[in-house]
């Protein structure tokens, strides 16, 4: 998985959720009385992804996880989270898991969280420290990794 981009991982992780939705395993339903509010994390996730993408475009900086960044983006949604795009993907997967409405579906956003937190983000933080030095370290101290 050394060069698998986060959006590709997101799409790959949607596949088992689709399978769970199609199969609908009995006995693993989270709520039977009414649907879970999956639209809230869906809207929040889309907002974060779109806002962060526009900020990268406006700053004319590299968005690819495995390429060197040429500018630091610290305004907008990046004031609240150092990783709003990962948070957005996580919220979309959580929305999909809530829509599927089985306990098994929660494994998928959990796996994405692990990949992001222990593979992608540490790599990006290392590159940012090497590229921007004290400026990134100050940003890292003032803004949380997730929220």
């Amino acid at each position: 998985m050394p060069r698998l981009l986060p959006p590709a991982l997101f799409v790959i992780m949607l596949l088992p959720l689709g399978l769970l939705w199609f199969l609908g395993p009995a006995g693993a339903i989270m709520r039977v009385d009414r649907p879970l509010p999956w639209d809230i994390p869906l809207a929040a996730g889309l907002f974060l992804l779109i806002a962060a993408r526009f900020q990268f475009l406006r700053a004319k900086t590299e968005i690819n996880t495995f390429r060197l960044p040429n500018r630091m983006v610290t305004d907008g949604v990046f004031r609240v989270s150092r990783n709003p795009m990962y948070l957005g993907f996580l919220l979309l997967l959580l929305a999909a898991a809530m829509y599927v409405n089985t306990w098994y579906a929660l494994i998928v956003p959990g796996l994405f969280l692990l990949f992001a937190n222990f593979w992608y983000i540490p790599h990006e933080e290392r590159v940012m420290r090497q590229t921007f030095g004290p400026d990134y370290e100050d940003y890292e101290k003032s803004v949380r990794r997730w929220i």
Side-chain angles (χ1 to χ4, degrees), residues 33-116:
D33 57 340
R34 65 176 182 230
L36 292 169
W38 58 271
D39 53 337
I40 296 168
L42 176 73
L46 285 173
F47 170 78
L48 287 171
L49 285 170
I50 292 167
R53 177 65 174 137
F54 277 121
Q55 286 180 256
F56 272 98
L57 287 171
R58 190 177 56 221
K60 296 180 179 146
T61 191
E62 184 60 55
I63 196 169
N64 187 312
T65 302
F66 301 107
R67 294 187 187 146
L68 285 177
N70 51 352
R71 286 190 181 92
M72 253 179 51
V73 179
T74 59
D75 60 338
V77 293
F78 289 91
R79 286 184 188 166
V80 178
S81 171
R82 292 196 316 262
N83 299 285
M85 297 188 93
Y86 291 112
L87 183 56
F89 284 129
L90 179 64
L91 287 170
L92 290 180
L93 289 170
L94 181 61
M98 291 169 74
Y99 183 80
V100 170
N101 197 24
T102 65
W103 291 107
Y104 302 125
L106 293 175
I107 293 170
V108 174
L111 285 173
F112 184 85
L113 176 68
L114 291 174
F115 281 122

Side-chain angles (χ1 to χ4, degrees), residues 9-31:
L9 177 64
F10 168 77
V11 170
I12 290 168
M13 294 193 131
L14 278 177
L15 297 174
L17 288 173
L19 186 62
L20 279 172
W21 178 78
F22 180 72
L23 295 175
I29 302 297
M30 287 192 263
R31 270 208 85 150

